[in-house]
Amino acid sequence: MTEEPGNARPTAPVSKRKAAAARGGARRLGVEDWTDAALAVLLRDGVAAITIAKVCDELGVTKGSFYWHFDGIDQLLETTAQFWCADHNDAARGFKDLDELPVQERLARMGALLTGERVWQVELAVRDWARTNAKVAEAVKALDQRIFHTLSKTLIELGFSAEQAEMRAGLMCFAGIGFVHGNQNLPVPTEDQRREFFRFITSTEPPA
């Protein structure tokens, strides 16, 4: 049986069964291919549409290939959520090499990522899973703490004390989580509004 070719890992599988079968070369699909396919289905059709048949069709393979990696759809969903939150997925999330950016650019990048449609859609679904799945909840907790520590470190670089940095980083994290849950009901912040928010939260001047 032939499956997707390629040397570099795609950001998200987009092929259907016929397209995958038509391409030459072969490699065995890995777990990340399956989690990417599940994310692609989630973003296009919603979490309820993630079925074994749908994900197999996304990759252009049979169910036998699925059961080589997973016992069932619940295990795939759990693995997908854990993968999305894991630190090795920071490149896909856009967090890779943040430490190499100047602090203001670092904050701007995180703000832009937060309001990106792909991010909030997946984050919302994963956080919903976390309410009923302890393993997913642990993965979400680890992600939140990693973002919190990145923000705290950035604020310390700006000259804030550790106490002030943690307080402000906490406010920024709560604002981000609130955006994930409220963005469909409230206006999405513009780039200028995000910049003003970060200016406000990082200001050392007393309020007027």
Side-chain angles (χ1 to χ4, degrees):
M1 178 174 65
T2 60
E3 296 181 349
E4 276 195 277
N7 295 320
R9 174 180 171 271
T11 55
V14 295
S15 60
K16 298 299 181 182
R17 189 180 304 275
K18 290 183 180 179
R23 290 198 291 267
R27 69 176 177 86
R28 183 177 296 281
L29 293 175
V31 172
E32 291 183 10
D33 295 292
W34 290 97
T35 58
D36 277 349
L39 286 173
V41 174
L42 181 151
L43 291 173
R44 187 179 61 246
D45 303 319
V47 65
I50 303 178
T51 64
I52 295 174
K54 199 74 169 281
V55 176
C56 286
D57 186 56
E58 190 73 22
L59 289 169
V61 297
T62 65
K63 290 184 180 180
S65 182
F66 174 88
Y67 286 110
W68 179 265
H69 295 287
F70 305 101
D71 294 331
I73 193 64
D74 288 342
Q75 187 180 27
L76 171 61
L77 291 175
E78 184 177 284
T79 302
T80 300
Q82 290 175 318
F83 174 78
W84 174 256
C85 295
D87 55 4
H88 61 71
N89 193 42
D90 281 353
R93 193 180 294 106
F95 288 168
K96 185 178 180 181
D97 300 327
L98 276 178
D99 288 343
E100 298 177 9
L101 296 175
V103 289
Q104 293 295 349
E105 289 185 31
R106 199 180 312 164
L107 292 171
R109 166 82 70 81
M110 295 186 78
L113 293 169
L114 172 66
T115 53
E117 184 176 7
R118 173 181 168 83
V119 172
W120 66 255
Q121 284 182 328
V122 178
E123 288 284 336
L124 184 59
V126 169
R127 289 178 185 278
D128 281 344
W129 291 340
R131 295 177 183 178
T132 57
N133 188 303
K135 291 183 178 179
V136 176
E138 284 298 315
V140 170
K141 180 179 178 180
L143 172 61
D144 287 343
Q145 291 181 344
R146 194 162 71 255
I147 294 173
F148 172 78
H149 289 305
T150 297
L151 288 169
S152 295
K153 179 182 176 182
T154 300
L155 290 166
I156 288 174
E157 288 181 42
L158 285 173
F160 289 99
S161 67
E163 181 180 5
Q164 280 287 319
E166 288 187 0
M167 179 190 70
R168 293 169 190 249
L171 290 173
M172 294 166 79
C173 286
F174 279 116
I177 295 170
F179 172 81
V180 169
H181 288 280
N183 75 87
Q184 291 178 306
N185 301 322
L186 298 171
V188 175
T190 64
E191 182 178 350
D192 287 341
Q193 288 171 333
R194 292 197 305 266
R195 188 180 299 112
E196 178 62 19
F197 170 75
F198 286 122
R199 187 204 64 76
F200 172 78
I201 207 72
T202 60
S203 175
T204 57
E205 299 178 0

